[in-house]
Amino acid sequence: MLLTTDDPQDPARSGVRFAAEHRLAVSAACEAGALLRSYLRGENSQPCAVKPKGCLGDVVTDLDTLAEEVIVRQIRACFPHDRILAEESGVLAGDAANGRTWLVDPLDGSNNVAIGLASCVVGIALCAGDAPVVGVVHEPVTGRTWSALQGCGARGPHGPLRAVARTPSSAGPLLGWTQGYGVARDDLRARTLKADLERGSRRLLQLWAPLLTWSMLARGDIDGFVGYRAEAIDLPAGALLALEAGVEIRALDGGPFHGGVTGPDSDRSFVAGRPEDMPRLLDMVNDG
């Protein structure tokens, strides 16, 4: 079922480009979230099976698969010719000529869920070429949704979303951190970067759910987010949400950030924060 809204300010009602895709992504994420909610709240007595995925410490649960099936089914029903890149199913072929790719992370935070920690979200993005044009992050436990449509701003459960300034702390900024599964434990750049951030921040959060961290940044709950060789599947939805909420994203050296789905993971290292905080964040990143 495709969900609708009566909010006249919702970009999905405005007739702008990709408005239908935005509405579909919100609907699919919410339907998947409803399926996950009873499990995550402990209301479903059915055990959740957990299996290792690859050799780098990732896992997959039954919930990942179930939620992905819900999302893919909705996308295929409305946009049958689009390409889909899904976390568990991989590439589901479409018409390559239209340049459209849906990115589906049905349960960002699977490792949290596997140990009984319900810190997770559902993430969906649509990319035109390599650029995200729709991004949705849905939190199953609370039922909250944050979304963005290119050029139309970001929205949360209570309306338009802006990353408002936080009162500076003498103990330093509150930052999030993520790194890709391909980063080795002895990667000197990653170790140095994390050490610099931990030394200069009040807290450095590593939530094992990058899209959850992106939503916190877009809401203004944290001051910055640093990624090192981040995973491709969840980056576009989170980055678009943050950008449309007024966040700035830079490469680690302070230059423009061009990271996307394609290209090496070295292109997906970033610093994100409010524009007024960016000089301080870049100083911290490059302190070593």
Side-chain angles (χ1 to χ4, degrees):
M1 179 178 67
L2 190 63
L3 302 181
T4 59
T5 175
D6 293 323
D7 183 353
Q9 300 302 314
D10 190 329
R13 292 177 58 91
S14 64
V16 299
R17 192 180 183 200
F18 301 115
E21 290 87 342
H22 173 271
R23 187 169 65 173
L24 176 278
V26 171
S27 173
C30 289
E31 184 178 342
L35 181 151
L36 297 170
R37 192 168 300 125
S38 63
Y39 288 89
L40 297 173
R41 287 179 174 175
E43 299 166 356
N44 194 313
S45 59
Q46 192 75 15
C48 173
V50 180
K51 297 180 291 187
K53 185 171 75 171
C55 57
L56 299 175
D58 200 7
V59 300
V60 60
T61 73
D62 288 348
L63 301 183
D64 293 77
T65 305
L66 291 171
E68 185 172 289
E69 289 173 353
V70 166
I71 297 167
V72 169
R73 183 172 65 249
Q74 277 214 34
I75 295 173
R76 276 286 181 250
C78 295
F79 302 101
H81 302 297
D82 287 356
R83 179 175 178 263
I84 301 174
L85 177 57
E87 175 76 13
E88 309 309 332
S89 304
V91 177
L92 304 175
D95 181 3
N98 72 13
R100 293 162 49 111
T101 302
W102 291 88
L103 304 174
V104 178
D105 193 343
L107 187 60
D108 186 33
S110 300
N111 279 280
N112 291 333
V113 173
I115 59 173
L117 185 64
S119 296
C120 60
V121 291
V122 177
I124 303 174
L126 172 64
C127 290
D130 210 33
V133 294
V134 171
V136 174
V137 177
H138 175 78
E139 193 173 56
V141 174
T142 63
R144 297 184 298 174
T145 303
W146 300 272
S147 69
L149 180 60
Q150 185 186 54
C152 294
R155 297 184 66 81
H158 306 296
L161 185 66
R162 296 294 295 178
V164 297
R166 291 164 47 85
T167 302
S169 169
S170 60
L174 183 57
L175 304 178
W177 165 267
T178 187
Q179 66 184 50
Y181 284 107
V183 178
R185 293 178 184 271
D186 59 353
D187 186 298
L188 181 59
R189 178 62 170 134
R191 294 174 65 179
T192 301
L193 185 54
K194 283 187 70 175
D196 289 341
L197 294 172
E198 287 174 334
R199 184 169 57 250
S201 64
R202 178 159 62 95
R203 291 288 188 276
L204 184 64
L205 307 176
Q206 188 168 2
L207 300 181
W208 294 358
L211 282 170
L212 182 57
T213 310
W214 280 115
S215 70
M216 293 174 69
L217 180 63
R219 298 194 302 264
D221 295 339
I222 60 176
D223 300 301
F225 188 22
V226 179
Y228 181 70
R229 293 171 54 189
E231 296 295 310
I233 194 76
D234 48 47
L235 179 59
L240 182 65
L241 179 67
L243 287 168
E244 292 291 333
V247 168
E248 187 174 344
I249 306 176
R250 301 271 197 94
L252 294 183
D253 63 3
F257 177 69
H258 299 299
V261 181
T262 61
D265 63 4
S266 56
D267 290 343
R268 296 194 294 272
S269 296
F270 62 84
V271 183
R274 292 178 296 276
E276 62 269 25
D277 295 333
M278 189 56 68
R280 181 183 186 186
L281 296 175
L282 288 171
D283 284 346
M284 293 176 66
V285 165
N286 293 288
D287 186 50

